[in-house]
Amino acid sequence: MRKDETLISHLDWPLFIAFMTMLLMGFATVYSVAYNPEHPNIYSFDEKYGKQLIWLGVSLFLGLVVFLIDSDIYRKFAFPIYLFTLVLLVVVLFMPAINGAHAWIGIGSMGIQPAEFAKISSALLLAKYISELSVKQQTTRNVLGAAMILLVPMALILLQPDAGTFVVFTSFLFVMYREGLTFDPIILGVVNSFPGVRFKETWVGSHFIPIMFVAIFLSVVTLLLSNVTITLPFISDIKIPGSMGVILTLLILAIIALVFIRRFGTKRDRSRATIIIVLGLLLGGGLSFGVGAGFSSLAPHQKDRIELFLGLKEDPNGKDYNRNRAMAAVGSGGLIGKGYNKASVSSVESNHVPESETDFIFCPFAEEWGFIGTLVLIILYMFMLIRIVVIAERQRAGFNRIYAYCVAMILFYHFAINIGMNIGFAPVIGIPLPFFSYGGSSMMSFSMMMFILLKLDSQRKDVLR
Amino acid sequence: MNFDARRYVIVAFIILVGIIYTFRLFYMQVVDDTWTLRAQEIAEKRKEIIPPRGIIFDRNGKKIVSNRTYYNLMMCEDKIKHLDTASFAKLIGWTREEVRQRFKDIVKGEGTYYNKNSGKRTSNYQKIRKYPFIKELTLEEISTIVPHLKNFPGFFEQVTSMRNYPYANGANILGYLSEVTREEIEQDNFYKPGNNIGRSGIERFYEKELRGIKGIKYVVTSALNNAIESYADGKYDTTARQAPPLKMGMDMLIQAYGEKLMQNKKGCIVAIEPSTGEILSMVSAPSFDPNLLVGKRNISLNYPKLALDPNMPLFPRPLQAEYPPGSIFKLIQSLIGMQEGVIDENSGFACDKSVVGCHNHSSARNIPEAVQYSCNPYFYAVVRRIIQQNKKGNLYADAELGLNKWHKYMASFGLGQELGVDVSGQRPGLIPDSKYYDKWYGHHQWAFSTIRSISIGQGEVKLTPIQMANIAAIIANKGWFYTPHFVKSIGYDGALSQFRKKHYTKVNSKHFNPVIEGMRRVVNENGGTARMARMDDIIICGKTGTVQNPHGEDHSVFIAFAPMNKPKIAIAVFVENAGFGGTWAAPIASLMIEKYLKRKIKDKAKEQRIFEARLSNYKVAAE
């Protein structure tokens, strides 16, 4: 009795409500997209919405179980749980392939995907592993240990093959980054092996993850602009190639940043920030230049592939079929959408957008609710992700914090890649949109993930771990 | 080491992605309509139902332009199974290579669309779509193919409608249709690739009136191109409506007769009903059968032949050929002279052959005689008085003033400017004004003596045959005209408003009587130049002209109207390189008038002479 009261009073209601809202929105979207006028009832278990309702019920039941169990077991049993999912990941490789991937255990539509659950178990073990490290974390051994926890399931998932989930596992790198567990020791080891070089830390190594993403972003922008010439708005007779434009923009931004720092920074900050800005400018400019030069030296067919991915080239009915249809569905939503159950491009019946009830469920949602709907969806996700970060940072126990970060980054990856592939910003790799996509395994795994997080958070004051 | 600050890096990433995605979605969904259009292409098929084009009748209710059913042989690659190329090629009468090539051409041609953003043609070929394999087959052609199509799954026929011209006449008036160009599609969203548009003549001018209203059916289609449901329960669907018929003022009987008279000759006939401005007939010789330019297949076969024919059958002479008018111009000179008060009806001038050559006749004592004799020195004298009115001391300044006044009169007769006939591509002709001569000779470097050949319709002056016919109509009406036009009514509405407005010349109607009397004498009195046009029971008023042609035989011109007291037809006949106006142009005009007013010809010999005449300049196309 006392425990329940604690749960209700200590539950993070904002997150819980956001979570439940998304589950409802998700179910409503599945109902709309898979709607079959012959079985309009949501309990029609022949239809996808009927099945999704079962998964929803099962997930909520599992949530209830999670709420009733003491949260300490996740830490204690993290390793056995991890091992269990590894076994499942091995077993699944011997299952018959569905759509070319050995991803399912079980029969037909009632099967489960171990890869979905491997995300939770890896998160739990990673949280346990890092939280139990001694204060001096930055050793090669520790970094490799954490990396091993991730690499084993990643390798097994790649064998299925399931590129989407494989990519999602890289989200744990952000968690490691937050915990100060980066690849710096390894890079230092390599760098310092040169005679006479003695670095204590490399800035690039310790900020490897964000730098990598900034680098990817810069490269993509450079490539996008590689065929464009930019005319300056005020000096119209000077035309500069697009890739130079990126470097020029960086230069301008750097100058602005320097001016700001001269004005507002303290003396100590100033010199440090100046070094970072100048270094960043050199690296960014060099990268942009290198990518531009590298791209133009590629063979035509390689160029083709990259241009196709970046949307510089069109093949709407060939290699670009899925994304072209998906973007048409999203873009045709307009400001207020076509109305609930009115999706014409992305309904399952019309079948223009493949997988519109699973990986491409953002399409019918965006088509039916328009920009208003997608804005609400993005705000809801933003709120949820930031709320999880806030929750993470208020934990006393390292395990809880790390696990919360894992949840946040997994959801962030799913959100960014799934929606990204609907709007032409990410490659089409099949990963579900959390709480929306049809499918039992993802529904259960995301729900479990959230329920465990909520449970851990509600007990954050119980013990100091 | 404390890594707490790194939480902000992570939050920054999350927020950055959120903001970028929000902007991207705003752009895709609200700002840019590319994807909306793409979605319509993909899923919301607008099925357009093109109505048959409007029918055209002549003034007697004869159907002169109608539609005929043609068939397209369609194909859908997805449904083709084990195509036996050899027997299929045999069925449609092609070679195997042609069949294979056609498949490739469809992918590159019909299977692409023009992408506005990239400015390139982008592939849009889909196996599940239907494409025309052979277009525009006639009933005879398709009926040999259809019974065997069951052996070739994936091929089927589709009905389409194209123009049909029951009479092989009036090609240059009616014009033809051809496929729309990319620019036309961009300018007017009515058109889709493959649609037809009026390319010349009436078909072009009345394109909007003739094309009707497209029916649009919105259906939601699946990826397999099957219609799933009608969009929004058919709320936005519209039915196709054929345009109301056009009624032309043209009389197909005399149009055909005129074309027959003009066979083996070059030139034109334009006949107008003076009281309405309706064009009764507009013959451009040589002409061609309009059915030669129906459909893409015919056009690609026949158009090059017609374009390369040395007699230029595609050239609409009545509207675009600019000729010096010759002596018919003297009629207007008399009118302007009287209106200006520099002469009156009874002014006489000696036939002074030292000024300009003339044929033998007694000196004209008044306007009717001057017109009857077509006296060149007389009209030199008249026009000298118009141009040099001695209103300014300086001879050159005086000529400038006089010429510009004269030019204004000419403009009021619709000369030197486009008349505004309802067929596109007409020429303005040329009536020089002071600026024109200033350019040639320099300011104040010219006077009447420099430019005097305009007096008798030679020199710089140029008129189109339709303007010549309009002069006859103006004189018949004694001073006013309706802009000549072909279409007298569109459905239940009358002609376009610009054709219902009377234009008055700057010449008072009383001055027309002596000129008309002169024209009567030209045809009906001894000493008249057009005695060959005379008829016993109808009084024709006319004026001949012989246009000096530096390149060869003179052109023969004749304008006339009849009957004298209640004019029903005004006509201009222009025969290239035919010599004296009275010999060819005048009898052709009188035959046309007789045919129009009486529907039959009494003097068969006169008719026969014209039919059989083959003028020397008419080139026989090499066989």
Side-chain angles (χ1 to χ4, degrees):
Chain A
M1 217 36 216
R2 195 194 65 85
K3 207 157 208 172
D4 281 0
E5 273 173 28
T6 326
L7 179 68
I8 288 168
S9 58
H10 289 170
L11 188 67
D12 190 72
W13 286 100
L15 180 61
F16 184 74
I17 289 167
F19 168 43
M20 287 297 143
T21 309
M22 285 224 231
L23 284 180
L24 270 178
M25 285 167 70
F27 178 73
T29 311
V30 170
Y31 179 72
S32 163
V33 71
Y35 179 75
N36 182 347
E38 285 170 27
H39 305 113
N41 199 310
I42 57 167
Y43 305 112
S44 317
F45 297 123
D46 289 339
E47 299 296 335
K48 290 196 163 140
Y49 35 91
K51 287 176 189 154
Q52 184 76 344
L53 196 64
I54 298 177
W55 294 126
L56 203 60
V58 171
S59 301
L60 291 177
F61 174 75
L62 287 174
L64 192 66
V65 173
V66 166
F67 276 167
L68 293 178
I69 301 172
D70 188 87
S71 65
D72 204 30
I73 70 151
Y74 303 113
R75 194 175 60 81
K76 280 182 185 153
F77 291 100
F79 195 66
I81 295 171
Y82 177 78
L83 273 185
F84 177 65
T85 51
L86 280 192
V87 170
L88 287 181
L89 282 175
V90 173
V91 170
V92 82
L93 294 177
F94 299 100
M95 290 290 147
I98 296 171
N99 289 334
H102 304 271
W104 299 81
I105 293 181
I107 319 115
S109 60
M110 282 307 184
I112 59 153
Q113 291 166 286
E116 292 294 333
F117 298 98
K119 282 183 280 194
I120 308 182
S121 63
S122 302
L124 289 174
L125 187 61
L126 191 71
K128 182 179 158 73
Y129 178 80
I130 298 177
S131 65
E132 286 171 2
L133 290 176
S134 57
V135 182
K136 192 178 176 349
Q137 295 177 320
Q138 289 274 30
T139 66
T140 310
R141 196 173 155 272
N142 291 347
V143 172
L144 288 181
M148 279 311 290
I149 293 172
L150 306 178
L151 284 173
V152 175
M154 279 168 87
L156 288 168
I157 286 166
L158 202 58
L159 285 173
Q160 292 186 0
D162 179 357
T165 312
F166 176 82
V167 170
V168 169
F169 265 77
T170 62
S171 65
F172 291 121
L173 294 175
F174 273 98
V175 181
M176 288 167 68
Y177 168 72
R178 165 63 187 89
E179 294 305 315
L181 206 64
T182 63
F183 295 102
D184 207 27
I186 300 166
I187 294 171
L188 276 178
V190 175
V191 172
N192 288 349
S193 66
F194 289 101
V197 183
R198 280 289 170 271
F199 281 117
K200 271 192 186 156
E201 91 170 269
T202 59
W203 192 73
V204 174
S206 48
H207 294 274
F208 181 71
I209 297 300
I211 287 173
M212 184 177 78
F213 277 88
V214 171
I216 291 173
F217 178 74
L218 269 181
S219 316
V220 169
V221 172
T222 308
L223 289 178
L224 279 177
L225 294 174
S226 60
N227 292 341
V228 188
T229 44
I230 297 168
T231 314
L232 295 178
F234 34 91
I235 330 165
S236 58
D237 47 339
I238 298 175
K239 289 197 171 65
I240 49 174
S243 50
M244 288 294 133
V246 177
I247 296 173
L248 206 69
T249 312
L250 286 176
L251 187 70
I252 292 166
L253 285 178
I255 290 168
I256 293 170
L258 280 177
V259 169
F260 262 84
I261 280 165
R262 284 249 165 269
R263 271 228 70 146
F264 304 110
T266 62
K267 200 168 187 185
R268 197 175 140 270
D269 282 352
R270 242 187 259 166
S271 54
R272 222 181 120 210
T274 309
I275 292 171
I276 292 175
I277 289 167
V278 171
L279 204 69
L281 174 65
L282 287 177
L283 283 172
L287 176 84
S288 183
F289 185 79
V291 167
F295 180 68
S296 53
S297 65
L298 283 179
H301 72 275
Q302 291 168 320
K303 261 188 175 175
D304 258 23
R305 215 168 292 163
I306 293 174
E307 283 180 336
L308 201 67
F309 165 62
L310 293 173
L312 294 174
K313 206 171 191 146
E314 289 173 68
D315 185 9
N317 299 320
K319 294 172 189 130
D320 209 15
Y321 184 96
N322 292 4
R323 196 169 60 162
N324 184 271
R325 297 298 188 278
M327 287 175 76
V330 172
S332 66
L335 181 65
I336 55 167
K338 295 176 185 169
Y340 186 62
N341 213 348
K342 292 261 164 52
S344 56
V345 183
S346 52
S347 75
V348 168
E349 192 187 13
S350 72
N351 201 25
H352 290 292
V353 179
E355 302 291 325
S356 62
E357 76 282 16
T358 57
D359 294 346
F360 279 105
I361 195 149
F362 183 71
C363 284
F365 180 82
E367 195 182 349
E368 291 179 351
W369 298 102
F371 177 68
I372 302 291
T374 56
L375 184 67
V376 167
L377 184 75
I378 286 179
I379 289 173
L380 210 51
Y381 262 108
M382 289 295 104
F383 173 79
M384 181 182 256
L385 291 170
I386 292 170
R387 186 73 201 166
I388 296 174
V389 172
V390 168
I391 288 172
E393 292 294 342
R394 76 183 179 197
Q395 302 300 317
R396 292 180 194 163
F399 175 82
N400 289 10
R401 181 182 69 240
I402 298 164
Y403 174 75
Y405 263 112
C406 286
V407 174
M409 294 329 290
I410 290 169
L411 289 177
F412 174 57
Y413 257 57
H414 274 269
F415 160 78
I417 296 174
N418 186 288
I419 294 182
M421 71 189 189
N422 281 290
I423 57 177
F425 275 12
V428 177
I429 51 172
I431 59 171
L433 186 64
F435 317 121
F436 276 74
S437 290
Y438 167 78
S441 300
S442 65
M443 172 60 75
M444 286 193 291
S445 82
F446 285 120
S447 301
M448 291 274 282
M449 214 181 265
M450 288 299 285
F451 281 122
I452 292 173
L453 173 67
L454 286 164
K455 177 68 181 174
L456 285 172
D457 178 58
S458 71
Q459 287 187 319
R460 68 184 182 273
K461 286 171 185 161
D462 287 7
V463 258
L464 185 67
R465 278 189 275 255
Chain B
M1 216 171 160
N2 187 357
F3 300 107
D4 281 354
R6 291 189 176 180
R7 74 178 83 165
Y8 299 113
V9 176
I10 287 170
V11 171
F13 258 97
I14 293 171
I15 292 176
L16 192 68
V17 168
I19 290 173
I20 291 174
Y21 280 19
T22 304
F23 275 97
R24 171 66 172 172
L25 281 164
F26 184 73
Y27 180 74
M28 272 178 75
Q29 298 189 292
V30 182
V31 181
D32 187 18
D33 62 353
T34 313
W35 294 107
T36 308
L37 297 173
R38 181 76 187 127
Q40 283 168 358
E41 268 172 37
I42 293 169
E44 291 161 30
K45 287 283 151 52
R46 267 165 63 103
K47 289 207 167 166
E48 293 191 338
I49 303 135
I50 304 172
R53 220 172 147 80
I55 308 289
I56 303 177
F57 294 98
D58 87 339
R59 70 184 295 115
N60 300 319
K62 279 184 195 153
K63 199 185 273 184
I64 53 175
V65 183
S66 60
N67 299 303
R68 194 172 151 191
T69 306
Y70 284 78
Y71 302 83
N72 292 340
L73 182 63
M74 308 292 288
M75 73 99 179
C76 175
E77 193 181 332
D78 206 40
K79 297 201 174 87
I80 295 178
K81 286 185 189 79
H82 317 296
L83 178 65
D84 179 355
T85 321
S87 53
F88 182 68
K90 202 176 152 199
L91 175 66
I92 59 173
W94 291 14
T95 66
R96 294 175 65 173
E97 284 63 41
E98 281 171 333
V99 170
R100 289 201 193 98
Q101 187 57 41
R102 179 65 190 139
F103 278 112
K104 287 179 200 157
D105 290 348
I106 289 172
V107 174
K108 280 187 211 142
E110 285 92 337
T112 61
Y113 71 98
Y114 176 73
N115 188 315
K116 265 190 205 164
N117 294 335
S118 64
K120 286 181 217 151
R121 292 207 74 83
T122 308
S123 170
N124 197 30
Y125 182 81
Q126 281 179 277
K127 289 183 178 175
I128 50 164
R129 289 227 179 122
K130 300 161 192 156
Y131 296 96
F133 195 80
I134 315 175
K135 281 179 116 176
E136 303 164 0
L137 293 165
T138 61
L139 180 62
E140 296 78 48
E141 287 169 317
I142 196 80
S143 56
T144 62
I145 297 174
V146 167
H148 306 284
L149 280 183
K150 60 178 185 296
N151 302 326
F152 303 101
F155 289 91
F156 50 96
E157 84 269 24
Q158 187 194 53
V159 175
T160 138
S161 151
M162 287 204 298
R163 275 312 205 197
N164 178 41
Y165 304 94
Y167 298 87
N169 307 105
N172 278 310
I173 304 166
L174 302 172
Y176 67 100
L177 305 177
S178 69
E179 258 180 40
V180 283
T181 63
R182 205 178 72 213
E183 289 75 22
E184 283 159 346
I185 295 170
E186 276 167 24
Q187 273 165 23
D188 188 341
N189 60 14
F190 180 89
Y191 301 105
K192 296 281 168 305
N195 286 175
N196 281 329
I197 189 170
R199 188 58 63 203
S200 69
I202 297 285
E203 296 277 22
R204 177 167 168 183
F205 192 90
Y206 290 99
E207 170 65 21
K208 287 214 167 77
E209 283 77 10
L210 286 168
R211 68 189 186 187
I213 297 164
K214 266 186 185 175
I216 294 162
K217 222 180 142 180
Y218 294 92
V219 282
V220 178
T221 57
S222 75
L224 292 173
N225 212 19
N226 302 317
I228 297 177
E229 58 192 78
S230 69
Y231 180 72
D233 301 325
K235 198 161 67 178
Y236 304 106
D237 294 359
T238 54
T239 44
R241 281 214 300 271
Q242 185 176 17
L246 296 191
K247 187 161 190 179
M248 290 181 72
M250 194 164 81
D251 185 332
M252 208 58 193
L253 183 81
I254 70 155
Q255 174 71 24
Y257 185 66
E259 285 184 27
K260 199 170 175 200
L261 290 172
M262 290 300 283
Q263 67 191 2
N264 298 327
K265 302 165 194 71
K266 286 204 280 190
C268 11
I269 303 173
V270 181
I272 299 173
E273 184 176 62
S275 58
T276 58
E278 289 162 16
I279 297 170
L280 299 167
S281 155
M282 194 181 88
V283 178
S284 179
S287 186
F288 60 94
D289 184 345
N291 291 304
L292 290 177
L293 294 183
V294 173
K296 211 175 176 178
R297 283 165 82 206
N298 278 324
I299 288 174
S300 60
L301 188 72
N302 295 321
Y303 190 89
K305 281 188 207 163
L306 291 168
L308 292 173
D309 187 327
N311 297 312
M312 301 198 291
L314 288 174
F315 180 50
R317 288 179 168 77
L319 299 166
Q320 293 186 3
E322 293 168 309
Y323 305 105
S327 300
I328 60 170
F329 213 46
K330 292 169 182 166
L331 302 171
I332 308 177
Q333 307 288 29
S334 331
L335 293 167
I336 297 172
M338 285 186 278
Q339 180 68 31
E340 274 295 289
V342 296
I343 54 166
D344 64 25
E345 164 177 4
N346 293 316
S347 301
F349 296 96
C351 182
D352 180 359
K353 295 200 180 64
S354 66
V355 186
V356 57
C358 201
H359 45 98
N360 284 321
H361 62 84
S362 51
S363 285
R365 290 161 296 179
N366 50 35
I367 296 270
E369 280 185 14
V371 169
Q372 182 187 355
Y373 303 145
S374 195
C375 178
N376 288 340
Y378 185 96
F379 285 98
Y380 268 55
V382 171
V383 178
R384 177 192 296 278
R385 288 199 183 177
I386 296 170
I387 305 286
Q388 310 280 190
Q389 294 193 16
N390 295 326
K391 296 231 164 109
K392 291 209 168 173
N394 182 327
L395 175 74
Y396 302 111
D398 193 45
E400 182 181 9
L401 185 78
L403 183 76
N404 287 339
K405 197 177 270 179
W406 175 82
H407 184 269
K408 278 199 187 102
Y409 279 106
M410 288 297 173
S412 77
F413 280 82
L415 305 180
Q417 60 199 8
E418 279 178 29
L419 260 182
V421 179
D422 49 355
V423 166
S424 43
Q426 48 200 305
R427 301 279 307 159
L430 176 64
I431 298 296
D433 60 2
S434 64
K435 281 193 202 108
Y436 180 87
Y437 285 120
D438 285 351
K439 225 180 266 167
W440 273 102
Y441 302 108
H443 187 57
H444 286 186
Q445 297 290 310
W446 53 271
F448 171 72
S449 52
T450 329
I451 61 170
R452 58 188 190 176
S453 56
I454 62 169
S455 312
I456 56 167
Q458 298 285 351
E460 293 77 20
V461 178
K462 283 194 173 68
L463 267 60
T464 60
I466 188 130
Q467 287 172 328
M468 298 178 191
N470 196 38
I471 291 172
I474 290 168
I475 295 172
N477 289 335
K478 298 188 182 172
W480 58 266
F481 67 99
Y482 287 112
T483 303
H485 55 278
F486 288 104
V487 172
K488 62 189 289 183
S489 63
I490 301 163
Y492 291 108
D493 303 325
L496 297 175
S497 60
Q498 68 260 39
F499 301 128
R500 286 180 272 164
K501 202 176 130 220
K502 256 189 195 176
H503 301 281
Y504 285 91
T505 60
K506 289 177 173 293
V507 177
N508 193 307
S509 68
K510 68 178 182 203
H511 297 308
F512 283 85
N513 291 325
V515 173
I516 292 172
E517 170 57 18
M519 288 171 77
R520 187 192 66 78
R521 293 187 192 181
V522 165
V523 179
N524 297 290
E525 300 283 323
N526 290 331
T529 51
R531 297 274 295 154
M532 286 180 84
R534 204 186 95 81
M535 282 166 64
D536 296 336
D537 44 0
I538 300 170
I539 301 175
I540 297 177
C541 301
K543 178 77 193 80
T544 55
T546 307
V547 180
Q548 287 161 22
N549 177 13
H551 309 294
E553 190 86 26
D554 290 349
H555 303 311
S556 177
V557 201
F558 185 68
I559 68 169
F561 65 87
M564 181 176 174
N565 293 324
K566 205 171 179 246
K568 287 211 163 67
I569 177 171
I571 192 167
V573 179
F574 198 102
V575 189
E576 287 181 21
N577 312 101
F580 177 55
T583 327
W584 294 105
I588 290 174
S590 85
L591 286 168
M592 287 290 284
I593 290 168
E594 188 179 357
K595 188 81 175 176
Y596 178 63
L597 295 177
K598 297 181 148 182
R599 302 265 129 189
K600 60 176 188 236
I601 303 297
K602 219 155 104 188
D603 187 352
K604 293 286 177 196
K606 184 174 170 185
E607 185 182 47
Q608 207 55 36
R609 169 178 167 265
I610 304 289
F611 283 162
E612 283 166 7
R614 175 190 287 269
L615 295 178
S616 60
N617 68 332
Y618 190 84
K619 298 179 188 70
V620 180
E623 293 294 325

